[in-house]
Structure formats: C-alpha cells, structure tokens
Amino acid sequence: MIRVGDRAELEGCRVTVRFSGSLSGKEGHWVGVEWDDVLKGKHEGKLEGQQYFSCSRPGPCGSFIKLESFQKRAVHGCSLEEALRDRYSSGVRDQDVAQGQSSRQILTAGDKLLAVQLLEHHRVQDRQADLQHLERASLSGANIATVEGVGSIAPNLEELDLSSNLLSSFKSVHQLLAELQHLRLVNLSSNQLAACTSDTAHQQLQGLILNSARATWANVLISCSAFSSLRELHLCANGIATLESDMSRMLPESLEMLALEANDLTSWSDVASLSHLPNLTQLLLSSNAISVIPLDAGTGGFKTLRMLTLGSNKLQAWQSIIALDGFTSLKELRVSGNPVILAGGSGSRYEVIARVGRLQKLNGSAISAAERQDAEIRYLRRAMGDVQRSNAETQDHHSSTRIQELQERYGDLGAAASVASGNTSLGSNMLDLVLHCIASSAGRALEPQHKKVPVSMTVGKLKQLIDRLFKLSPGDQALLVKAKTDPLPLPLDGDDNLELQRFDIQGGSSIFIDDRNSEQPL
C-alpha cells in the first residue's frame, strides 16, 4: 500500500511520496513524488494548471509515475530487524569481517569518530543468538523503512547508525527508544523525518545526530521534547535560517553540545535564544552567515560555554571578536575564514589571542603562555599608539576594558609609548631597520641592508624599497618583523596601506623577507 509521506528509492535516488490517486484527464492510478535530487524533478506538483501536491523545497522537485511502474521500480525498504540479521548474522555480508575487519568507525558532524561493532566471521555461527549482546551497529544506507520488533532481537543496542535510510517520521525514533532501553546515541542523518511527539519520556537517549535531513528547528524540538536527558544534538546542513526563541525554550537543560554548522543563520539574536541553557559547553556555528556579534553577547548567558566555532561566517569587524571576551568560560575558539581574519592575514592569530583573554586554544592550536604574553604586549603597544594618536579609523578595533587589564598586567610600556608618539631614540619620526632577504628565489645569499625609514612609511612603500634592494617584487614578498627582545619573528601582513607605526615596529628591529609561497598557515 502506497502512503503519502513514505520514503522509497527509485532509480538509485531517494523520493518522498507526496500524492497517490487519480489525475484529471489521465487514466489509472498515479503516484506523485518529490525527488531528493532536484535535477530529477519536472514540476512542483502541478499538472495542467491543477496543484496535486506541494514540495518541501522551491523548484521543480516533483514528478508523477504510474502506480504499476512505481511498484515495479521502487525499493520500499526493509525492516531494521531484517537489516540487522542480514548484516550481523548471515554469511552474505561476512566478507568484510572475513578479511579481518572486526570494527569500523564513522565520522560524525562534530568531527568525532564513532566506533561500530562488527562480528568476526569465525564467531558468526556461534553467535546467531548474540544479536542479543550487540551494543553498537552501523546500518547506513541499508534502505531501512521500519523499526518495529528490533527490541526482541537486539535489546542491548547502545549506539546505532541509521543514516541514509528510508525512515520518514520521528515516530520511528520514539518506537526505537520504546524498544531499546539502553540506546544512548542514534545517527539519523540523511533521513527526512516528519514531526511526531511522544507522551512517553525517553531518558536513555543522550546523543542525536540529524545532519543533512532538511530538518526544521521547530519540527526537531517538537519531536525531541521527550528526550529529557539529551546531551548532544547535531543539526548540521539542514538549511536552518532562524532559531525561534519560543521553540528554543523546549531544548532540555541537560544539553551540553549543540552543532548547527553549515546552516543559514545570519543573526546573533537567533543564537542568543540558546543563552539560557545551563549546561551548554560546546556550540558549533561554523559555515553560517553571521556578520555581527554584539558587544553584550556574553552578558547574562552562556555561562558554561567553553568551546565556540565560528569559522567561515561573515564577521566583518574586530568588535565581534572583542565581544567574545565577554564569554567568561570560553577556552576554545575557531574563527578562521571570516573576512576580519582574512584581512589581517596570518597576524590575525595574535590579534585574536590578545583580545580574548581566557582562550587556551585557537583554530585547533594550543596557545602557550609565551605566545599569549607576546601577543598581548604587541597588541597593547599598538592599541596605546592608536589611542594616543586619536586614530578614529581604529578606535573601534579596541576595548578600553581589555586595554586597562593589559596595562595592569604589563605596566607602562615606555618604549612603545615613545614610538607611538613619534619620539624614537633615533629621531622624532625615523626608524632604523635591518632588512634580511631569506627568499629562496633570490638564488644567492644577500647581505643585510640597514635602512632608516620614516615611521609613517606604509607597508606597501616598504615592499617597494625591498624590491629595489633585493629584486623581489612586492606581490612575492612575505614580511616578518622581529624586535631585539622578541623570541620569534611575527608576520607583517594585512593592508599594505597601513603605516609601520601601526605595527609597533621599534628602532633596531629586523625585517625578514621571504617568498610568499613559503609562508606556513597558522
């Protein structure tokens, strides 16, 4: 029997049944389907001016197929019980384990490896009944459409991968949990599940992965209201554009990790609806379209948040980075791929470290005590220079509170203050620099060049000077600066129109010139 909402596989592609019945002017019984692959569709459920069904997405995703043809060509799926027996008890699928593979891992949306258990070939005959002891199973892409009866054959399942199957409703999830009292983690990615509530609380479930499932925020939260002990929720790549605050209140207080990467969020106000969660420690928001984080974003909420990923969003200004210093528990941050970071080049790492005082890891790399101190001192020198020069263009790059904290920690950076005011020991407006060309393209060792340049010289002008001295074009140059007291050189990149004094370059500093293609990403 064909039912609206059923999922099936047709010609190697997944479809959802949206209509079953007769068409005006056409003989016989017809099935209307919405294709997962939009290129397979022909229309939006309308035929000769009459609308028979609607698709869940815009565009021509639908088509009509005669019932007889649909029944012959469509794969309607099997039960979870059949898939488990086929995978873990029959000799048909034992080729994998016969070759020595007794376990495998799948990658979740949070970049975590999820181990799944396979039965070894030589044990299968002994363990026909050992499905009763199976704790982890991977049945991705097995065309499973129903789950009833699984509790009678595999009651001890704790982790279950059902991604890329033919499940069509959260009713299946509630059925699973009703039968599997030990089920802690289930992966339902790439299943399209209609909303369904449950009157029974399922306290055993701790992790739900529902990536690439066209899931809406409202449908997920309505359907998950019974999962009162949920700790991890993955909703990546679902096209979610807004997080309705009223719906967000339905999230369980037990939630510790929420993954919303690769969605369509644009406003921090949506993210703010999550700030009430008392145990939230990890929030994954990379690959969205958030452009601004307000300065008060960390005020009064997100008190337990330790990890925040914001990579590849649209953050434009340093004010958004400054706002993150208000998250009092934040230890780990990802912000690579944002316009403000890309504009600052590799030196942006030090800018972020200095502005967000409690970070211990940035973009996956640990921050050492020496790196933090170096970043903070350099930032403080430059920030104080901007303040003393009353530079309107850069005033919003800094936080007065953060500057005060760093001043209390490092005291009066006298040398920096004199450079910033133009009173260097070598002249009121001049810097003595040592230029070292270490570029392999130079082809030979070149003697260092001592040059006295104005503090108002721009980076672009400095590159032109280097071109004349070492015959290395500005576009091929990667510059690093090292003061006498610095342990390591730091990148001198970003906007070529910035003046050298903007980077707090001190008299006697060395400038190292390397090939741009030899730069190592941070």
Side-chain angles (χ1 to χ4, degrees):
M1 178 180 177
I2 306 298
R3 296 174 300 182
V4 172
D6 282 352
R7 297 275 289 163
E9 186 173 285
L10 191 64
E11 300 173 357
C13 298
R14 301 289 170 83
V15 298
T16 302
V17 175
R18 298 297 185 196
F19 171 82
S20 179
S22 59
L23 301 177
S24 178
K26 303 288 184 181
E27 294 184 358
H29 193 110
W30 293 78
V31 178
V33 299
E34 178 182 352
W35 296 85
D36 287 9
D37 182 356
V38 66
L39 297 179
K40 289 281 189 178
K42 298 180 179 179
H43 50 70
E44 298 181 4
K46 180 184 289 188
L47 183 65
E48 296 179 354
Q50 185 171 345
Q51 191 79 44
Y52 289 92
F53 66 89
S54 297
C55 296
S56 62
R57 296 164 295 160
C61 306
S63 61
F64 290 107
I65 305 168
K66 279 192 172 182
L67 176 61
E68 295 81 2
S69 177
F70 183 81
Q71 290 174 326
K72 287 180 181 179
R73 296 157 54 194
V75 176
H76 296 283
C78 63
S79 69
L80 175 55
E81 179 181 352
E82 291 171 329
L84 276 169
R85 292 188 187 280
D86 185 42
R87 174 62 187 229
Y88 290 97
S89 292
S90 71
V92 176
R93 297 291 184 91
D94 287 335
Q95 301 173 39
D96 291 342
V97 292
Q99 295 172 358
Q101 182 180 357
S102 60
S103 66
R104 75 174 49 168
Q105 294 177 315
I106 62 170
L107 188 66
T108 71
D111 292 331
K112 295 182 179 180
L113 288 175
L114 173 65
V116 293
Q117 178 182 359
L118 302 179
L119 301 181
E120 296 175 11
H121 179 71
H122 69 276
R123 296 165 64 190
V124 167
Q125 298 302 319
D126 299 340
R127 301 189 65 179
Q128 290 289 341
D130 252 10
L131 286 176
Q132 295 279 327
H133 302 285
L134 191 66
E135 295 178 355
R136 301 176 184 88
S138 177
L139 294 165
S140 179
N143 285 331
I144 297 167
T146 61
V147 301
E148 290 81 359
V150 64
S152 63
I153 65 163
N156 290 299
L157 279 172
E158 297 180 7
E159 298 180 4
L160 185 57
D161 178 13
L162 294 177
S163 58
S164 299
N165 277 286
L166 297 174
L167 301 174
S168 60
S169 172
F170 263 99
K171 182 178 180 181
S172 298
V173 185
H174 298 309
Q175 182 68 42
L176 270 178
L177 293 167
E179 296 193 28
L180 301 175
Q181 299 301 313
H182 304 287
L183 188 61
R184 298 182 294 106
L185 174 65
V186 60
N187 185 351
L188 293 163
S189 298
S190 300
N191 286 279
Q192 295 182 33
L193 306 177
C196 179
T197 60
S198 172
D199 295 331
T200 304
H202 301 296
Q203 297 184 359
Q204 73 269 41
L205 189 66
Q206 297 181 22
L208 175 62
I209 304 171
L210 194 60
N211 301 327
S212 303
R214 297 188 206 156
T216 69
W217 186 242
N219 282 358
V220 170
L221 297 194
I222 289 171
S223 303
C224 294
S225 58
F227 308 153
S228 56
S229 299
L230 196 65
R231 296 171 61 187
E232 291 193 15
L233 179 59
H234 299 254
L235 297 172
C236 303
N238 280 302
I240 296 172
T242 184
L243 308 178
E244 299 93 334
S245 59
D246 291 343
M247 298 301 303
S248 297
R249 290 286 173 183
M250 297 177 66
L251 285 167
E253 292 188 351
S254 57
L255 197 66
E256 297 175 7
M257 195 273 270
L258 178 60
L260 289 166
E261 296 178 313
N263 279 294
D264 297 325
L265 298 171
T266 60
S267 174
W268 185 264
S269 62
D270 288 305
V271 181
S273 69
L274 308 170
S275 64
H276 68 284
L277 294 168
N279 296 296
L280 188 66
T281 59
Q282 299 180 55
L283 181 56
L284 281 56
L285 296 170
S286 292
S287 300
N288 278 277
I290 298 168
S291 58
V292 176
I293 302 175
L295 287 174
D296 62 353
T299 304
F302 294 111
K303 293 180 179 180
T304 58
L305 191 65
R306 293 179 57 85
M307 176 182 177
L308 178 62
T309 70
L310 287 163
S312 300
N313 272 268
K314 295 184 178 181
L315 300 179
Q316 303 284 340
W318 284 110
Q319 286 280 297
S320 293
I321 304 301
I322 292 170
L324 299 177
D325 194 44
F327 292 75
T328 56
S329 298
L330 190 63
K331 304 297 182 186
E332 184 173 349
L333 176 67
R334 288 183 179 269
V335 287
S336 57
N338 282 279
V340 64
I341 302 300
L342 296 173
S346 54
S348 293
R349 176 175 174 84
Y350 300 93
E351 298 280 351
V352 176
I353 291 172
R355 285 175 168 87
V356 189
R358 301 173 187 85
L359 286 186
Q360 297 176 358
K361 185 179 287 188
L362 177 61
N363 297 330
S365 178
I367 302 169
S368 67
E371 183 182 23
R372 171 161 292 285
Q373 178 174 308
D374 191 52
E376 289 178 344
I377 289 175
R378 286 177 175 272
Y379 169 74
L380 179 58
R381 286 172 175 165
R382 186 160 55 75
M384 289 306 300
D386 287 341
V387 171
Q388 292 177 23
R389 288 191 300 273
S390 299
N391 191 335
E393 292 184 1
T394 60
Q395 282 182 357
D396 63 349
H397 291 190
H398 310 300
S399 162
S400 58
T401 302
R402 184 67 178 144
I403 290 175
Q404 184 176 349
E405 289 175 357
L406 296 179
Q407 283 180 313
E408 291 174 355
R409 183 176 304 166
Y410 299 111
D412 180 20
L413 301 179
S418 65
V419 170
S421 62
N423 298 317
T424 70
S425 59
L426 299 174
S428 60
N429 292 299
M430 303 299 289
L431 285 174
D432 188 18
L433 301 177
V434 184
L435 307 179
H436 304 263
C437 184
I438 58 174
S440 59
S441 60
R444 56 188 173 84
L446 298 173
E447 291 294 323
Q449 298 287 322
H450 292 260
K451 291 294 177 182
K452 187 176 291 187
V453 301
V455 295
S456 60
M457 173 179 274
T458 65
V459 175
K461 292 293 185 182
L462 177 62
K463 288 182 177 181
Q464 293 176 15
L465 172 62
I466 291 169
D467 184 19
R468 293 195 296 270
L469 293 173
F470 300 112
K471 309 303 180 186
L472 186 65
S473 65
D476 295 330
Q477 297 173 23
L479 305 184
L480 300 100
V481 59
K482 181 181 182 299
K484 292 180 179 179
T485 57
D486 291 337
L488 294 170
L490 294 174
L492 180 65
D493 53 13
D495 188 348
D496 281 2
N497 293 318
L498 292 177
E499 298 177 352
L500 296 182
Q501 61 186 356
R502 181 78 174 79
F503 294 89
D504 182 41
I505 298 178
Q506 303 173 39
S509 294
S510 293
I511 303 291
F512 295 91
I513 305 102
D514 200 356
D515 293 305
R516 178 164 291 279
N517 58 13
S518 69
E519 284 188 290
Q520 297 299 316
L522 293 175

